[in-house]
Amino acid sequence: MSATTVGVEYRDQVRAFIAANAPAGQWYDGVRVPRDTGTERAVRNWYASLFDAGYMGGSWPVEYGGSTDHRPEYDAVVMEEIVRARAPRPIDQVMLAAHLIVTFGTASQKRRHLPRIRSGQDIWCQLLSEPGVGSDLARLSTKAIRQEDGTFRVDGQKVWTTDGQWSQMGVLLARTDPQAAKPHAGLTMFVVDMSTPGIDVRPIREMMGSDEFCEVYFDGAVLPADSVLGEVNQGWSVANSGLASERAYVGANTVMLELLFDDLVELARCVELSDGPGIGDPVVRTELADFKARVTAVQHIAQDAVAKVSAGTDTPTDGMIAKLLYTELNVALCRYAMTLANAGRLTEAGHVVHRRWQQAFLWSRALTISGGSSEIVHNVLATQLLGLPRSW
Ligand SMILES: Cc1cc2nc3c(=O)[nH]c(=O)nc-3n(C[C@H](O)[C@H](O)[C@H](O)COP(=O)(O)OP(=O)(O)OC[C@H]3O[C@@H](n4cnc5c(N)ncnc54)[C@H](O)[C@@H]3O)c2cc1C
């Protein structure tokens, strides 16, 4: 059963819960970090309420609040409805950190970290990319060298760390064996307390005017021996498992296309062209119809991928195809919206819609980079799906 066929009743229940409990205000594209302490408290409480109500963490072990009759498609529905409501999403701590701790964590790591994720006390970040490596992550150079007492000394720099400035914890991929025969063979995943001395988090100001990412410097930070997640030098498979777990949520992302399409229709109503509102123009109407068809097609492809993930019958390229189509269509929608907005005069209401589009436009490229850039996805599809030779 896919997310689309989970009972309407369950979806309605989730919608009602979100309407009653999500923090006020709309969270637009690219806005992920709370701007003040009041908002931060509200977001943490919101995350905790999702766990308390059983809408998050259902797949966790029962002793940590999971449910025996949990179905993966429930998670997909919850994420879809959070996106539809433009409410904040607990992305890294649910998709990556919690997944890794449940899958690879020791009993003591589960005891220590899962309850604090449930209660909203700990926000997590991913410490993977570096100034010199992103797509080619296996070549990362941050070192974690084991000391005589079993601890690890970490030196290096991470970048593009989403949520770094308000995270208590992070998952760090670092090189523990610089002599390993292959780059990915000498990597280890760690859980990191972000308040450890020797860790310096510096927010990055972006073109959208906000600080959504951080640089994170490690200068002799010492991590305890029991901070290894999984096995030493097996970090590559741990990291891949975490990134793959995001596949189940690609359907939720395509809900954003629906919202954008609605905004496009709204914009067309608010643009005065030389012969009347854009919505009455035959060329604009043709574009709208075309976008509607493309949004619907991508949603079907994404739902199919999510259904396969739920049934355990997916291949690694299913989610990638959906991700590629969704992110590139997102860019196309944003580009067209900006062209349309500039083709005429905006009504007063149109300025509000236009501001949303400007935000969405600036953010749209980011989605074609995170979680595997479009070029890398093309490469993977060419080699893994079509069996073509590598070109790099
Ligand atoms: C919204 C967002 C959130 C992010 N959050 C995090 C986070 O929380 N933690 C974290 O660690 N990182 C995060 N990142 C970073 C992200 O993982 C990297 O940006 C991504 O892996 C690409 O790496 P890069 O930026 O170094 O680009 P590069 O790998 O240097 O790529 C630059 C360009 O070259 C292209 N390219 C690279 N290799 C090839 C090739 N072999 N063939 C063809 N083209 C190629 C790429 O497609 C891209 O267009 C985030 C990024 C974004 C956009």
Side-chain angles (χ1 to χ4, degrees):
M1 187 184 284
S2 77
T4 43
T5 54
V6 161
V8 175
E9 214 176 293
Y10 182 73
R11 194 178 285 277
D12 286 348
Q13 203 183 306
V14 173
R15 280 187 188 171
F17 179 83
I18 293 171
N21 294 283
Q26 297 222 312
W27 291 69
Y28 288 111
D29 303 313
V31 177
R32 297 163 295 167
V33 176
R35 299 282 186 266
D36 53 71
T37 48
T39 312
E40 179 176 332
R41 202 173 317 115
V43 173
R44 286 177 189 270
N45 289 342
W46 159 236
Y47 291 168
S49 73
L50 283 165
F51 282 102
D52 283 349
Y55 291 128
M56 290 275 160
S59 62
W60 293 11
V62 176
E63 62 270 37
Y64 295 106
S67 157
T68 45
D69 53 10
H70 178 74
R71 300 195 333 229
E73 51 272 27
Y74 287 159
D75 295 332
V77 167
V78 172
M79 280 296 181
E80 283 176 23
E81 293 308 321
I82 291 177
V83 172
R84 201 184 308 282
R86 293 185 189 269
R89 283 201 278 173
I91 295 183
D92 286 343
Q93 47 272 49
V94 172
M95 290 189 199
L96 189 78
H99 168 80
L100 294 184
I101 292 164
V102 167
T103 312
F104 298 98
T106 60
S108 127
Q109 285 170 333
K110 287 178 189 157
R111 256 196 321 275
R112 203 173 327 144
H113 300 300
L114 293 178
R116 292 180 62 88
I117 292 177
R118 286 190 71 88
S119 63
Q121 279 166 290
D122 285 352
I123 299 296
W124 285 67
C125 59
Q126 309 181 19
L127 300 153
L128 308 176
S129 307
E130 298 182 357
V133 291
S135 304
D136 200 6
L137 189 60
R139 299 196 178 278
L140 62 82
S141 62
T142 294
K143 288 193 181 64
I145 302 302
R146 202 186 322 230
Q147 313 295 293
E148 280 182 3
D149 61 359
T151 60
F152 291 82
R153 182 195 153 108
V154 185
D155 290 279
Q157 185 195 342
K158 296 292 175 177
V159 74
W160 309 127
T161 313
T162 303
D163 291 331
Q165 61 274 65
W166 68 304
S167 289
Q168 284 62 50
M169 298 295 301
V171 283
L172 164 76
L173 191 61
R175 187 163 301 286
T176 33
D177 181 2
Q179 264 75 52
K182 291 192 173 168
H184 62 264
L187 302 174
T188 300
M189 191 68 99
F190 295 90
V191 291
V192 177
D193 178 341
M194 296 299 285
S195 66
T196 306
I199 299 180
D200 184 14
V201 180
R202 300 184 198 168
I204 301 172
R205 175 55 52 98
E206 294 140 39
M207 65 179 170
M208 292 164 81
S210 52
D211 310 334
E212 298 289 330
F213 298 98
C214 297
E215 296 175 298
V216 179
Y217 292 85
F218 291 85
D219 184 7
V222 177
L223 306 183
D226 66 357
S227 56
V228 172
L229 192 51
E231 301 292 325
V232 172
N233 295 332
Q234 298 298 317
W236 189 242
S237 51
V238 178
N240 277 316
S241 163
L243 297 173
S245 75
E246 297 184 6
R247 288 168 307 171
Y249 299 104
V250 70
N253 291 332
T254 63
V255 169
M256 190 51 80
L257 293 177
E258 256 176 76
L259 301 183
L260 284 179
F261 180 77
D262 290 346
D263 260 0
L264 191 58
V265 174
E266 184 65 22
L267 183 68
R269 288 187 207 287
C270 297
V271 176
E272 289 291 338
L273 302 178
S274 54
D275 51 355
I279 195 81
D281 183 277
V283 177
V284 174
R285 290 161 74 106
T286 305
E287 290 286 357
L288 289 177
D290 188 52
F291 274 121
K292 181 66 184 170
R294 290 165 70 187
V295 167
T296 307
V298 172
Q299 283 191 307
H300 282 302
I301 290 167
Q303 291 301 348
D304 182 55
V306 173
K308 286 181 181 161
V309 171
S310 295
T313 57
D314 63 312
T315 64
T317 53
D318 291 327
M320 284 191 180
I321 290 172
K323 193 260 176 194
L324 178 68
L325 294 175
Y326 141 67
T327 55
E328 292 296 337
L329 180 53
N330 187 16
V331 170
L333 276 160
C334 290
R335 275 202 180 144
Y336 179 68
M338 299 312 284
T339 307
L340 181 61
N342 290 329
R345 191 179 58 80
L346 287 171
T347 62
E348 209 172 306
H351 288 288
V352 178
V353 189
H354 187 225
R355 264 197 299 282
R356 283 210 293 274
W357 275 111
Q358 284 174 322
Q359 183 90 0
F361 175 76
L362 291 175
W363 182 243
S364 61
R365 269 291 160 212
L367 299 176
T368 65
I369 299 170
S370 62
S373 72
S374 293
E375 290 78 9
I376 296 296
V377 173
H378 279 126
N379 281 344
V380 174
L381 295 180
T383 51
Q384 290 187 14
L385 191 64
L386 303 178
L388 300 175
R390 281 171 70 108
S391 60
W392 70 99

